[in-house]
Amino acid sequence: MSSGRHALPSRFGKLYREIAKFGMVGASGFVVNLAVFNLIRTVTEWQTVRASVLATVVAILSNYLGLRYFAYRNRDQEDRNSRRKELTLFLLFSAIGLVIENSVLYATTYGLGWDSTLATNVSKFLGIGVATLFRFWSYRTWVFRAAGSRTSDGGLPDEPVLPYPEPALSGSWERT
């Protein structure tokens, strides 16, 4: 019989490791995103938001590889259909994140007229930050689900399943 007193720290330890891995992949995606954005802006005459959208797409592709094969490599992915669903959901939520990220840049560039190199990089940084919060939640809740979180028909459950269930007290309360 165990006391269950280590269940909560263990749960938070898993979450911290997940956040750290997500953060490492995100940091590399951040570097890719800003590097591609600034390269496009330097080499071409593209408009700010157009350059940002392409940079974000390149970062999304590199992030998928990092998330799938590093951060969430142990998550549910049994067959070709589940991989297809995972990629479809990833692209859907990434597209929403792309809109969030580039909306900030659009508002500051065209709404406020801040179009200097420094201003666009700061706006891009802020947009990436806001979109990252959304992406972390959506990827861990819907895309890279914990093993066993799918319904018996292979579809998604009615409500998102948390990857780490609430710890239950170990041992029995009933006398046998």
Side-chain angles (χ1 to χ4, degrees):
M1 201 178 335
S2 65
S3 67
R5 65 185 171 147
H6 297 291
L8 194 57
S10 173
R11 178 179 179 203
F12 285 122
K14 289 178 183 178
L15 180 61
Y16 292 141
R17 283 189 296 278
E18 180 181 348
I19 290 170
K21 286 180 178 182
F22 186 90
M24 285 190 285
V25 172
S28 70
F30 173 76
V31 169
V32 167
N33 197 333
L34 284 181
V36 171
F37 173 68
N38 285 299
L39 179 68
I40 292 170
R41 293 281 290 159
T42 303
V43 175
T44 71
E45 295 293 322
W46 281 23
Q47 295 173 349
T48 304
V49 175
R50 182 177 294 165
S52 179
V53 167
L54 180 60
T56 303
V57 168
V58 172
I60 286 169
L61 296 175
S62 72
N63 284 350
Y64 179 76
L65 295 174
L67 291 170
R68 165 51 30 222
Y69 298 108
F70 173 65
Y72 295 116
R73 70 176 173 260
N74 60 345
R75 295 287 176 98
D76 188 21
Q77 189 187 33
E78 291 123 18
D79 59 13
R80 179 178 268 165
N81 284 337
S82 65
R83 283 190 301 258
R84 191 174 301 129
K85 278 184 186 177
E86 174 188 276
L87 183 58
T88 301
L89 288 170
F90 180 83
L91 292 174
L92 170 71
F93 290 119
S94 293
I96 294 169
L98 182 146
V99 170
I100 293 168
E101 175 184 328
N102 289 291
S103 294
V104 172
L105 184 62
Y106 183 88
T108 58
T109 301
Y110 301 112
L112 300 175
W114 299 347
D115 198 22
S116 70
T117 301
L118 177 62
T120 56
N121 278 289
V122 168
S123 298
K124 186 127 176 83
F125 176 81
L126 293 173
I128 290 170
V130 173
T132 297
L133 296 174
F134 167 76
R135 287 178 178 132
F136 178 72
W137 170 81
S138 63
Y139 293 166
R140 79 183 300 263
T141 304
W142 297 106
V143 180
F144 300 106
R145 303 170 66 78
S149 62
R150 303 223 180 248
T151 59
S152 60
D153 65 357
L156 296 174
D158 295 333
E159 294 186 27
V161 176
L162 296 174
Y164 309 109
E166 289 294 323
L169 294 176
S170 298
S172 173
W173 288 80
E174 299 175 12
R175 295 190 181 261
T176 55

